[in-house]
Amino acid sequence: MMNLLVTLDSGYVYPLCCMLRSLAKTNASECINLYVAHSTLTNDDFIKIKNAVSDADIEVYPIRLDDSLFKNAPTKSRITKETYYRIFAPLYLPRSVDKILYIDPDIIILNSLHFFYSTDFGNNLIIGAKHFDGFVNRWNRFRLSMHKSSYYINAGVMLMNIDKMREFVTEEKIFKCVKRNYFRLFLADQDVINILFDGKIKLYSENVINLDERCFKRLSDDLGDEKALSQVKKSTAIVHYNGKEKPWYNEYNGKLRCFFDMYSSPEIQRARCLDAGA
């Protein structure tokens, strides 16, 4: 049994369905509970979501998050109520959920998630992949006063030890962290997660669970495009289209578009779904 969590609004239903089609195909042997945290999705949205996984052993559990849960939450232009959906997961998920894999909707699953999902947490609360290298990583650590962790992680893919997080995370602790760091939270909840769980995060290879265009360029520089794509197809579990450029837009020129197109409908491949979320 595998637990997955996604959070989104209606603008991201189409990319989520592409991700779910890839999940259903590449993890067909898994029994999966999919928790969908939202505040605006409609019945029609959930019909599309359920149709995307109709051929797989995936049970969809909608979780509508009431605004009252975040009534005392500090907010600003980059810190909206949706900012808290990932951080609050231990507080609203069913008590039966002991761990969960959070994944962003702008992702394609290329291979089995079983090995990653089975990773031992040790004394950690989160397992994720680094987001930056070198100077940028050091600058983010300095910016957020992170003292214990070696790397700032990307919060788009996180294996979360929910049982232990319930002992560690409280509404008061989250809001206190946001208020204390209010003016340096450039990347909203991703920054908050890196601050809150500093020293409690285990790293996993970004080439396996969070491969983006930046990671691919490093592979391509070493191997060439053709061999790099072949290696990704064989060894990468999760391709992440992070950043502002998305493969459902005509303007996207990344080398990883081919994996998204494998699960995009013919109509969308022609029109590029220009009304999808940014």
Side-chain angles (χ1 to χ4, degrees), residues 121-128 141 144-153 161 164-165 168 190-203:
F121 283 98
N123 295 320
N124 300 290
L125 302 182
I126 289 173
I127 304 176
R141 290 183 62 201
L144 301 176
S145 298
M146 295 166 58
H147 301 298
K148 299 177 182 178
S149 295
S150 297
Y151 286 96
Y152 176 98
I153 68 159
N161 189 342
K164 294 296 182 182
M165 290 175 75
F168 181 82
Q190 181 164 280
D191 282 349
V192 177
I193 287 166
N194 276 275
I195 296 170
L196 267 180
F197 300 104
D198 185 24
K200 301 179 185 297
I201 299 172
K202 182 176 182 176
L203 286 182

Side-chain angles (χ1 to χ4, degrees), residues 86 102-107 153-158 190 210 240:
R86 286 185 284 196
Y102 171 83
I103 45 179
D104 279 347
D106 55 350
I107 270 170
I153 68 159
N154 183 289
V157 178
M158 297 183 292
Q190 181 164 280
N210 210 329
H240 191 183

Side-chain angles (χ1 to χ4, degrees), residues 2 27 30 112-120 159 204 208:
M2 189 182 296
N27 287 260
E30 298 286 348
S112 173
L113 298 174
H114 181 81
F115 189 76
F116 175 50
Y117 191 82
S118 303
T119 304
D120 182 14
L159 189 60
Y204 205 94
V208 177

Side-chain angles (χ1 to χ4, degrees), residues 70-211:
F70 312 102
K71 63 182 178 182
N72 297 317
T75 59
K76 63 174 180 176
S77 58
R78 287 192 298 266
I79 309 292
T80 65
K81 68 179 190 300
E82 287 81 11
T83 294
Y84 296 93
Y85 286 6
R86 286 185 284 196
I87 309 171
F88 265 68
L91 306 182
Y92 63 70
L93 285 169
R95 298 298 299 185
S96 58
V97 175
D98 61 344
K99 71 174 180 178
I100 203 161
L101 174 56
Y102 171 83
I103 45 179
D104 279 347
D106 55 350
I107 270 170
I108 290 295
I109 312 296
L110 293 185
N111 288 292
S112 173
L113 298 174
H114 181 81
F115 189 76
F116 175 50
Y117 191 82
S118 303
T119 304
D120 182 14
F121 283 98
N123 295 320
N124 300 290
L125 302 182
I126 289 173
I127 304 176
K130 64 183 179 181
H131 191 50
F132 301 108
D133 289 294
F135 171 77
V136 179
N137 178 68
R138 293 193 296 273
W139 179 79
N140 275 288
R141 290 183 62 201
F142 174 79
R143 173 175 66 88
L144 301 176
S145 298
M146 295 166 58
H147 301 298
K148 299 177 182 178
S149 295
S150 297
Y151 286 96
Y152 176 98
I153 68 159
N154 183 289
V157 178
M158 297 183 292
L159 189 60
M160 307 169 76
N161 189 342
I162 297 298
D163 266 352
K164 294 296 182 182
M165 290 175 75
R166 289 191 180 107
E167 301 172 7
F168 181 82
V169 175
T170 64
E171 176 182 314
E172 180 182 4
K173 183 177 286 190
I174 294 169
F175 292 163
K176 186 177 180 179
C177 177
V178 174
K179 289 176 181 176
R180 185 188 299 121
N181 299 282
Y182 200 73
F183 294 103
R184 50 181 175 172
L185 299 179
F186 302 147
L187 296 176
D189 59 334
Q190 181 164 280
D191 282 349
V192 177
I193 287 166
N194 276 275
I195 296 170
L196 267 180
F197 300 104
D198 185 24
K200 301 179 185 297
I201 299 172
K202 182 176 182 176
L203 286 182
Y204 205 94
S205 171
E206 69 270 29
N207 286 339
V208 177
I209 65 157
N210 210 329
L211 185 125

